[in-house]
């Protein structure tokens, strides 16, 4: 796990430097505090998989573009699409957290997500509900994702 540099609420937490930059489209739409929460396991970046994915991807944000996919964000997890889908369908909590973390990392850093990635992310949010029962954070992420980029 990558060390977290600043605790939430510190003087430096307002600039999001430790969470990486926010694409303007992400900042405008994903405004709930969960998108900056480093300690809530149900927030996109509050668990080990989500945090580590964001920190590593933020270090290479200059390599990302409007066509970047989940597989390019986290090749170790997403090189086999069938295995990812199977892991989600089998309620593999590490896979669920990896998909949620990578999906919101992609959105945060590039301001976009492809249709396959959006579908996978929604599927992972549904799986999280099956595993942990519906949580307000998951409901917020789902609602925000469903309205993002849609006329």
């Amino acid at each position: 796990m990558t060390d977290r540099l600043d605790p939430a609420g510190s003087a430096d937490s307002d600039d999001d430097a430790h969470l990486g930059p926010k694409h303007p489209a992400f900042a405008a739409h994903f405004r709930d505090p969960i998108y900056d929460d480093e300690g809530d396991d149900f927030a996109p970046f509050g668990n080990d998989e989500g945090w580590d994915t964001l920190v590593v991807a933020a270090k290479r944000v200059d390599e990302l573009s409007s066509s970047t996919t989940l597989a390019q964000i986290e090749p170790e997890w997403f090189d086999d699409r069938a295995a990812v889908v199977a892991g989600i369908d089998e309620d593999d909590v590490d896979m669920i957290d990896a998909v949620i973390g990578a999906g919101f990392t992609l959105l945060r850093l590039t301001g976009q997500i492809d249709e396959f990635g959006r579908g996978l992310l929604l599927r992972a949010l549904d799986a999280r509900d099956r595993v942990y029962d519906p949580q307000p954070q998951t409901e917020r992420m789902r609602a925000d994702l469903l309205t993002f980029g849609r006329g």
Side-chain angles (χ1 to χ4, degrees), residues 75-99:
E76 178 182 331
W77 283 98
F78 297 100
D79 63 347
D80 183 348
R81 286 183 174 197
V84 175
V85 172
I88 292 171
D89 289 348
E90 294 167 7
D91 296 339
D92 177 334
V93 294
D94 289 337
M95 181 61 75
I96 292 166
D97 287 347
V99 170

Side-chain angles (χ1 to χ4, degrees), residues 32-91:
D32 194 281
I34 65 167
Y35 299 111
D36 294 315
D37 194 326
E38 303 169 24
D40 181 348
D41 283 337
F42 291 110
F45 313 117
N47 56 58
D48 290 347
E49 287 79 9
W51 173 260
D52 290 347
T53 300
L54 178 60
V55 169
V56 170
K59 290 178 182 175
R60 55 185 188 86
V61 70
D62 57 328
E63 300 170 19
L64 307 178
S65 72
S66 62
S67 63
T68 300
T69 65
L70 292 177
Q72 292 165 302
I73 288 288
E74 190 62 75
E76 178 182 331
W77 283 98
F78 297 100
D79 63 347
D80 183 348
R81 286 183 174 197
V84 175
V85 172
I88 292 171
D89 289 348
E90 294 167 7
D91 296 339

